[in-house]
Amino acid sequence: MDIIYYECKKAFTSPILIALLLLFASYNILLIVSTSDRREELKVANQLAGKYGVGITDDSMNQFREDLQHDLVKLNEITRTDYSEAELDFFTELQLKEKYYEMANDIDNRYDQIDWEQIGESQINMYRFSGSAADTMKNEYIKLSLRFEEMKDNDEHKMWFFAGDPYKMHSFLFRTIFGHVIFESLIIIALAAALITNYEFENRTHLVAYTTTRGRRLMRDKLAASLLTATTVSVFILILTLGTYFAVFDYSHLWGSSISSALNWEYKLPYVSWWNISFSAFLIWSILLVYASMMLFTAIIFSISIFVKNNYFTFFIFAVFFAVALLLPGFIPASTNLIFIAGYNLSQLVMNPHMFLMGNSSGAMMFKNYEWITICAWTIIVVALSYISLRRFRKQDIH
Amino acid sequence: MIVVKNVSKYYGNFCALNNITLELHNGVYGLLAPNGAGKTTLIKMLATLITPSQGEIVYDGKNIIHMDDEFRALLGYLPQQFGYYNNYSPKQYLLYLAALKGMGRKDSIRIIKELLEKVALSEVGNKKMKKFSGGMIQRVGIAQALLNNPKVLILDEPTAGLDPKERARFRNLLSELARDRLVIVSTHIVSDVESIANEVIMIKHQEVLYKDSVENICNTLAGHVYETTIDYGHLDAFRNRYTVLLEKQESGEMNIRFIHKGAAAEGWLSVTPSLEDVFLYEYRDEIRMEV
Ligand SMILES: Nc1ncnc2c1ncn2[C@@H]1O[C@H](COP(=O)(O)OP(=O)(O)OP(=O)(O)O)[C@@H](O)[C@H]1O
Ligand SMILES: [Mg+2]
C-alpha cells in the first residue's frame, strides 16, 4: 500500500501534470459558463416536465393546450405597447411553449415518416458496403426498425426534453463536454502512466529500485498506481466539469426523461437508443464507459512504457496507436465484416460519446452491442498485454 | 555463502565473462580489475539485474534467481552509476527505498537517521539532492545499500568521487560491517581494498586470474620486484628489457621499480611486492593500451 502511495505521488508532484489538470478544468468551466446565455430559454422544457409530468400523454397535452389558450387570452388582454419586463418574458415564454406544443404534437407524424431499412440502404450506398458487410448492415437495420416500432408502441420517446433543434443539448453535453473530458483525461493519464512506469529508468535509479526486495514486482505496483492515478484524474475532471454543467443548466425535472426523447431530435435522424433508458441512466452509462476506456488506455500506456522505457517514445507510440485504431476501418475493404470488426476499438468508441448505445449512428458504432463488446474485447486484449509485459519485464536484463 | 558456478555472460556475441567459478564466504572481497574487465557484469548478475548466459549463482544451495525476493531481502547493492531523484531529499529517497525493501515506516525512520549519521549526512538529510556534490550522493548510495542490514553487501566502485578523508572513513565502515556479512567491493583502485580485503579477486581475459589473500597474490611476484636508479638516458633501453612498474624522477636520475624474473644485476635492490605491483604487472597490456 505504501509503495502504491509513493508511486502515485510521483505523478501528483509533477508540475506539468498539475498545471494541465488545472488548465483543463478551468477551460471546461469557462466553456460551460460561456454558453449559459441560453439558460433562461432552456428552463421552459424543465418547467413543462415539472408541470405536466415528464411523459407526454394525451391527457397532459390536453391540459397543456388549455393552459396555452388561457395564456393567449391573457396575451390579448395586454393592449398597451410599453411592455413591462415581466410581460416581455411572458411573451417569449409563451412563444417557446407554443413551439414545444407543436413539436410534441408532431411527434407521431414525424416518426411515421421514418423507414430505417431505407435509411440502411442509403447508408450502404453512401459507404459503398458490399458483400457480407452489406448483409450485416441490412440485418442490423432490420433489428433497428423493430426496436423503433417497439418504441412507437410504448411511447418511451414521448417525453419532454430540451428541443434538439435549435439547442442541441445532447450534442453539447455528450459530444462537446464529454469529448473534452475524454481528451483531457487521456492526455493527463498518458503522461501520468508513462511517468510512473518509466520514472526509475528516466532518473537512472532503476538499478537500485529493482534490486530491492520488491524487485521487479514494483512494476505491478506501478500498474496499480497508474490505474489509481487515472481514476483520480478522470473523477476530478468529471466531477468538476459535470458539476459545473448541471449547476448552470437545470435538469431537475428531466433526469427521468428518455434519452431517445423525440424532442431531442437534433439533425436528420432522431436519437434511437437500443434500450429504453432515461437521461440519468444514459449519463451514468456514459461515465462508466468513459471510465472503463480510460482504465484500458492506462494499461495500454503502461505496457508500451515497459517496452520502450522512455516517456516521449511512450507518448508518441500511444498517439500513433490511437490514431491508427481510429483510422483503421477506413482502410479496410467495405465488402467484408472485417470493416466492422476493425471498428470495435477504443479510439472509435471514445471519439463518439454522444452515440453511445444509439442505433442512429453509422458503421459498427450503430450495432446494438457495440459498446460492451468493445469494452469486453479490449479488456481481454489489455489484460493479456499487461500480463505479457509484466512477464517479459520479470525476465528481462536490466542494464 | 555464495557460489558462482561456471558462469558466463554474453552480450550478444560478445563474451564479457567466461566460465567464472567462485566461492564467497563472510568477509570482504575486493574485486580488482581494470576498466572493462567485467566487474560490473559480475556484480549485476549477483544483484539479479541480469541473468547468466551459462551457469548459475547459488546462495546457501539455492539459485538466487529462483530465490527471487528472498535473496534480494538479504542484498544491499550500490551500483556504479548511483541514480537519484533531483527533487527528493536523502530522507525521502531512503524512505522510498525502505518501503521497496519491505520495511515498516517507523523502523525506517529510525534506521535512516542512524545511517545518515554513519555517512555524515545528518545535516543535509532534508535538503534536495540536486544540490549535492558527487561525494555526498555516493554516501547516500552507501547508506541506501545498508538500509535492510544486508547479509550480502555489493558495492560497485563505492569510493568513486570520495575525497581521501571520506575514503578512509569508508574503509573503516567496511571493516566494521564485514564482521558478519559477505561484502564485495569492486574497484580499480588498489589502495581501496589492499588493507581491508580478506581476499582479492582479479579478472583477466574474462576469467578469474586470482582469488586469494593479498599476501598470497603478492607472493606470486616474490623475488622478482626490484628498485634501482639509472641515468635518464638509459630509460628507453631499460623499458624495453624489463617491465617497469614505477618511474620517479630524482635529481636528474630515474628511480625505477620493475620486474625481472631471473638473476639480479648489481645495484638492484630486491623489494617486497605490493598488490599494486601485481596489478600493474598482470594488466600491463591493458593499461598500456589505455595510456
Ligand atoms: N549492456 C551491455 N551491452 C554490451 N556490452 C556490454 C554491456 N555492458 C557491458 N558491456 C561490455 O562488457 C565488458 C565488461 O563491462 P563491465 O561494465 O562489466 O566492466 P567493468 O569491469 O565494470 O568496467 P569499469 O571499471 O569501467 O566499470 C565491456 O567490454 C563492456 O563494453
Ligand atoms: Mg564497472
Side-chain angles (χ1 to χ4, degrees), chain B:
Chain B
M1 183 180 78
I2 291 180
V3 183
V4 179
K5 285 186 191 166
N6 308 103
V7 164
S8 304
K9 181 68 190 179
Y10 293 88
Y11 293 116
N13 285 327
F14 174 78
C15 177
L17 286 173
N18 183 27
N19 203 23
I20 303 283
T21 296
L22 293 167
E23 215 182 280
L24 308 168
H25 303 268
N26 280 358
V28 179
Y29 291 88
L31 189 54
L32 185 64
N35 292 126
K39 301 184 294 290
T40 300
T41 302
L42 178 60
I43 281 177
K44 280 187 175 170
M45 286 192 286
L46 287 166
T48 69
L49 281 169
I50 60 180
T51 42
S53 309
Q54 276 154 32
E56 60 171 357
I57 301 173
V58 296
Y59 180 86
D60 285 348
K62 285 179 278 184
N63 187 320
I64 59 169
I65 304 276
H66 300 150
M67 282 176 80
D68 203 9
D69 49 339
E70 197 191 331
F71 175 72
R72 285 192 309 273
L74 307 169
L75 177 73
Y77 167 55
L78 171 65
Q80 184 167 3
Q81 267 110 31
F82 173 64
Y84 57 95
Y85 309 114
N86 274 324
N87 287 319
Y88 281 42
S89 68
K91 265 188 193 156
Q92 284 173 315
Y93 190 18
L94 292 177
L95 265 176
Y96 174 59
L97 290 175
L100 293 187
K101 292 187 180 207
M103 301 161 62
R105 205 180 153 83
K106 256 197 186 153
D107 286 342
S108 312
I109 290 172
R110 178 177 51 78
I111 291 168
I112 287 167
K113 192 164 175 288
E114 288 168 15
L115 282 174
L116 286 178
E117 251 159 55
K118 225 174 219 169
V119 295
L121 286 176
S122 301
E123 263 150 52
V124 290
N126 290 318
K127 292 243 162 68
K128 285 191 177 174
M129 289 173 72
K130 65 175 155 208
K131 297 203 178 117
F132 280 23
S133 69
M136 287 160 89
I137 299 284
Q138 196 69 0
R139 280 181 279 156
V140 177
I142 292 165
Q144 157 286 129
L146 297 174
L147 267 175
N148 53 333
N149 192 16
K151 283 267 155 269
V152 179
L153 181 61
I154 304 179
L155 308 166
D156 200 351
E157 307 208 7
T159 54
L162 295 188
D163 62 30
K165 197 177 103 234
E166 283 304 329
R167 243 167 231 249
R169 184 215 287 277
F170 171 72
R171 277 198 297 270
N172 293 339
L173 180 64
L174 266 199
S175 352
E176 179 195 321
L177 287 168
R179 242 170 277 147
D180 53 352
R181 57 190 108 213
L182 200 170
V183 183
I184 301 169
V185 184
S186 100
T187 184
H188 49 247
I189 298 164
V190 176
S191 62
D192 275 350
V193 289
E194 193 168 29
S195 57
I196 53 162
N198 304 68
E199 285 196 352
V200 168
I201 299 162
M202 290 168 89
I203 301 172
K204 187 176 171 181
H205 297 146
Q206 292 79 44
E207 292 178 8
V208 176
L209 175 69
Y210 292 122
K211 177 186 172 285
D212 217 329
S213 64
V214 174
E215 198 188 348
N216 288 344
I217 292 177
C218 291
N219 278 340
T220 58
L221 283 184
H224 302 314
V225 184
Y226 299 96
E227 280 185 3
T228 190
T229 308
I230 57 166
D231 269 355
Y232 202 81
H234 296 137
L235 187 59
D236 276 343
F238 204 89
R239 273 184 187 153
N240 287 337
R241 281 188 66 182
Y242 308 108
T243 311
V244 173
L245 302 170
L246 208 71
E247 299 169 359
K248 210 162 70 187
Q249 213 167 345
E250 218 171 312
S251 53
E253 291 188 313
M254 292 301 288
N255 217 328
I256 289 193
R257 189 176 174 104
F258 64 100
I259 290 190
H260 176 65
K261 296 191 169 177
E266 206 174 310
W268 290 4
L269 180 68
S270 179
V271 293
T272 323
S274 70
L275 192 58
E276 177 115 25
D277 296 335
V278 181
F279 187 86
L280 291 172
Y281 176 68
E282 291 295 348
Y283 300 118
R284 57 192 182 275
D285 298 329
E286 284 94 330
I287 292 167
R288 231 169 252 154
M289 267 164 57
E290 265 171 39
V291 171

Side-chain angles (χ1 to χ4, degrees), chain A residues 75-283:
Chain A
L75 179 76
N76 290 332
E77 281 166 5
I78 303 171
T79 47
R80 287 173 291 114
T81 44
D82 51 336
Y83 306 118
S84 69
E85 188 107 342
E87 282 166 346
L88 277 171
D89 285 350
F90 173 70
F91 293 163
T92 31
E93 207 179 296
L94 186 58
Q95 202 184 355
L96 286 169
K97 278 183 183 166
E98 278 185 315
K99 205 164 166 244
Y100 272 102
Y101 180 81
E102 276 164 33
M103 285 175 90
N105 226 0
D106 212 20
I107 293 175
D108 285 339
N109 187 17
R110 291 184 81 189
Y111 270 48
D112 280 341
Q113 284 167 21
I114 293 177
D115 178 352
W116 286 105
E117 286 175 47
Q118 203 189 327
I119 291 165
E121 285 299 329
S122 64
Q123 284 267 326
I124 289 166
N125 289 333
M126 191 162 100
Y127 294 102
R128 294 177 204 285
F129 289 124
S130 61
S132 54
D135 294 342
T136 308
M137 215 62 192
K138 259 180 221 154
N139 268 330
E140 210 59 28
Y141 273 101
I142 291 172
K143 271 196 245 166
L144 183 62
S145 45
L146 290 176
R147 162 72 184 133
F148 196 63
E149 290 308 314
E150 172 193 280
M151 193 183 231
K152 286 200 284 190
D153 281 344
N154 69 13
D155 280 348
E156 63 174 271
H157 60 303
K158 290 192 178 172
M159 295 215 181
W160 294 114
F161 200 73
F162 306 114
D165 179 28
Y167 304 123
K168 300 191 171 55
M169 289 305 274
H170 180 85
S171 286
F172 182 58
L173 175 57
F174 291 106
R175 178 186 241 165
T176 311
I177 303 288
F178 262 75
H180 276 91
V181 168
I182 290 167
F183 199 64
E184 294 159 352
S185 307
L186 202 52
I187 289 178
I188 299 181
I189 284 170
L191 276 177
L195 181 131
I196 290 174
T197 314
N198 296 327
Y199 205 70
E200 279 58 44
F201 291 101
E202 293 271 343
N203 285 288
R204 318 296 307 154
T205 58
H206 56 295
L207 297 178
V208 182
Y210 294 111
T211 48
T212 55
T213 313
R214 193 75 191 150
R216 285 164 166 87
R217 279 191 197 89
L218 175 57
M219 266 305 172
R220 274 197 238 161
D221 302 319
K222 284 181 179 291
L223 177 57
S226 301
L227 293 172
L228 197 63
T229 306
T231 304
T232 316
V233 167
S234 336
V235 168
F236 176 81
I237 296 184
L238 263 173
I239 287 186
L240 217 65
T241 309
L242 293 183
T244 312
Y245 181 85
F246 288 109
V248 169
F249 300 106
D250 187 3
Y251 276 67
S252 51
H253 296 293
L254 297 174
W255 294 108
S257 177
S258 169
I259 201 64
S260 320
S261 162
L263 293 186
N264 191 25
W265 191 327
E266 293 179 339
Y267 299 95
K268 263 191 269 165
L269 299 170
Y271 284 99
V272 180
S273 66
W274 283 102
W275 291 274
N276 180 2
I277 47 175
S278 64
F279 170 79
S280 52
F282 183 82
L283 181 67

Side-chain angles (χ1 to χ4, degrees), chain A residues 343-345 348-349 364-365 367-374:
Chain A
Y344 283 91
N345 70 63
Q348 289 268 344
L349 180 71
M365 256 237 126
F367 294 179
K368 183 172 182 183
N369 296 316
Y370 175 78
E371 287 75 17
W372 74 261
I373 290 181
T374 306

